[in-house]
Amino acid sequence: VGVARGQDVPRSDAQTLRRLLPYLWTYRWRVVLAIALMVAAKVATVGVPLLLKALIDALTPLPGLSVAASGVVLVPVGLVLAYGGLRLASSVLAELRELVFMKATEGAARTIALQVFEHLHALSLRFHLERQTGGLTRDIERGTRAVQSLISYSLYSVVPTLIEVALVLTLLGTRFEAWYVWVTAAALGLYVVFTVKITQWRTGIRRQMNELESASQTRAIDALLNYETVKYFDNEAWEARRYAESLERLRRARLRTQASLSLLNAGQQLIIVVALVAILWRATLAVTEGRMTLGDLVMINAFMIQLYMPLNFLGVLYREIRQGLTDLGRMFDLLARECEVRDAPNARELVLTRAPEVRFEGVHFGYEREREILH
């Protein structure tokens, strides 16, 4: 009997991703174009602080002129227009990326769902008797959604952030001291490790809270549906006490959930603030000593804000990506289940030259080989 791979050996995340890539590579030109648009969007985003630096430096008063007069003379209209153009370009390129890649995402999800549907029809009756149809449809539905969510969270959030981090670290390393690169990289690494660890810990707390919430709702609904029985035995106070105990456990679980979320947010902000203060302190000293301009200080601050803003959603992204990989792996397990009844390797098409006749000779049947039912 063929056994689905996922029932014996857990499917790793890397195996699930490798299984998904061929479906996406069918639309290879769209994938390449989407990646090119993604890189271009991030280059435009990183270019915004560079133009902001040039604009701030251009506003520096010249000797002998007042600030107002210098501003009128020196503010280049081209820089202002280019600043607005880059901001618009980063948004437009991001939307074009999603539009181009949408066909690949939807096409891959459709192909996988159709293959699973056809494969389920090819499996034996034994498989369908052992499985619940509702569970199968949920696996297909969740797996199809997982394709879309994985691509959305990875291609639209994680990968662009990694590209932006690489670009910013390269600019900081080439234009300024390596100290800025090491502080930024260390803060980012610490931020990611802290977020992943706390999110993994919070997952168990949230699961417990969801179970307690379901239990309290079930208890209340059961008591109301059996209203007559409760009244017959004068158990209103007892049911109320049981419901109160469920609500109290749920309250404590919600408090733990909120406390863990507050710890996550506070820890993330602490890492960001410490790194940002250290970088700005160093940059401020460089400005006062004349080694950097005021525009450089503004540019570094803008870089840091752009880097850390997407990281606020890292915990959610990590949790959703893990859930998406689990759902997609479960659907691939259905595809990996072997068919019990297969045609012979060199089977030919059945061509009838005359009306067939049927004879029963030596017919045996049993659900299990060890226990034959029909002789």
Side-chain angles (χ1 to χ4, degrees):
V1 176
V3 179
R5 173 182 183 171
Q7 291 179 342
D8 293 335
V9 182
R11 183 185 295 271
S12 67
D13 294 342
Q15 289 172 327
T16 301
L17 290 175
R18 282 198 300 269
R19 189 77 170 81
L20 174 64
L21 287 179
Y23 294 98
L24 294 176
W25 198 240
T26 306
Y27 305 88
R28 57 179 65 86
W29 72 269
R30 285 183 175 270
V31 174
V32 173
L33 181 57
I35 292 175
L37 289 171
M38 178 176 59
V39 173
K42 280 304 162 187
V43 170
T45 302
V46 172
V48 169
L50 292 173
L51 276 179
L52 188 61
K53 164 199 157 35
L55 190 59
I56 296 297
D57 288 340
L59 289 172
T60 304
L62 289 175
L65 289 178
S66 65
V67 175
S70 300
V72 172
V73 173
L74 293 175
V75 173
V77 178
L79 280 178
V80 177
L81 294 177
Y83 178 83
L86 273 183
R87 279 200 169 276
L88 179 62
S90 62
S91 299
V92 171
L93 289 171
E95 294 299 326
L96 285 176
R97 173 202 62 197
E98 295 191 21
L99 185 62
V100 167
F101 207 71
M102 179 61 68
K103 187 173 182 179
T105 304
E106 295 295 334
R110 172 189 172 277
T111 302
I112 296 172
L114 182 59
Q115 283 187 2
V116 173
F117 183 77
E118 293 174 344
H119 185 69
L120 289 176
H121 277 92
L123 294 176
S124 64
L125 177 63
R126 183 200 307 272
F127 170 80
H128 291 279
L129 291 176
E130 292 174 351
R131 297 293 295 268
Q132 294 181 347
T133 305
L136 290 176
T137 57
R138 281 197 301 272
D139 287 343
I140 297 175
E141 180 186 359
R142 289 171 180 169
T144 304
R145 282 204 310 264
V147 175
Q148 300 166 343
S149 63
L150 276 176
I151 293 174
S152 174
Y153 290 129
S154 59
L155 191 66
Y156 302 159
S157 299
V158 176
V159 176
T161 301
L162 293 177
I163 293 175
E164 187 171 0
V165 168
L167 291 174
V168 169
L169 292 181
T170 302
L171 284 172
L172 291 177
T174 54
R175 297 174 69 98
F176 307 108
E177 305 172 11
W179 186 87
Y180 296 100
V181 177
W182 292 117
V183 171
T184 304
L188 290 174
L190 182 60
Y191 188 102
V192 170
V193 172
F194 174 79
T195 301
V196 169
K197 293 295 184 183
I198 297 297
T199 301
Q200 289 176 339
W201 170 59
R202 290 191 69 242
T203 300
I205 298 177
R206 284 188 59 84
R207 187 182 299 114
Q208 183 183 16
M209 185 193 73
N210 292 336
E211 291 173 355
L212 289 173
E213 186 174 17
S214 298
S216 65
Q217 290 179 353
T218 301
R219 183 156 292 172
I221 292 173
D222 286 346
L224 293 174
L225 288 177
N226 294 279
Y227 168 82
E228 293 88 349
T229 306
V230 173
K231 299 293 287 186
Y232 290 158
F233 292 93
D234 194 25
N235 274 345
E236 296 95 328
W238 186 70
E239 290 292 344
R241 186 167 60 253
R242 291 178 64 204
Y243 186 51
E245 292 171 357
S246 297
L247 290 178
E248 177 61 22
R249 287 194 293 269
L250 178 59
R251 184 188 69 85
R252 290 196 294 265
R254 283 176 173 168
L255 288 176
R256 287 195 299 271
T257 302
Q258 182 58 47
S260 63
L261 178 61
S262 300
L263 175 63
L264 174 63
N265 293 335
Q268 288 174 334
Q269 293 304 314
L270 177 63
I271 295 171
I272 292 174
V273 168
V274 170
L276 192 58
V277 168
I279 289 173
L280 291 181
W281 171 76
R282 185 82 170 216
T284 303
L285 288 181
V287 171
T288 57
E289 294 171 0
R291 293 182 287 110
M292 288 173 57
T293 65
L294 188 60
D296 292 327
L297 177 63
V298 173
M299 181 184 68
I300 291 175
N301 182 60
F303 275 149
M304 295 302 103
I305 293 175
Q306 283 186 187
L307 281 185
Y308 290 127
M309 280 180 60
L311 293 180
N312 289 330
F313 305 99
L314 181 61
V316 177
L317 291 177
Y318 175 76
R319 187 172 63 249
E320 292 297 329
I321 288 176
R322 288 303 303 262
Q323 185 61 50
L325 287 170
T326 301
D327 293 340
L328 187 57
R330 189 175 295 115
M331 190 163 67
F332 282 148
D333 286 341
L334 293 176
L335 274 177
R337 183 177 285 272
E338 297 178 6
C339 297
E340 291 185 48
V341 181
R342 291 181 182 274
D343 287 338
N346 299 319
R348 294 177 297 174
E349 292 290 333
L350 178 61
V351 179
L352 297 177
T353 57
R354 57 186 176 84
E357 58 184 40
V358 179
R359 295 196 307 270
F360 286 89
E361 295 177 355
V363 177
H364 302 272
F365 175 75
Y367 289 105
E368 301 294 338
R369 293 180 180 179
E370 296 79 10
R371 191 166 63 91
E372 249 184 24
I373 295 173
L374 178 65
H375 302 274

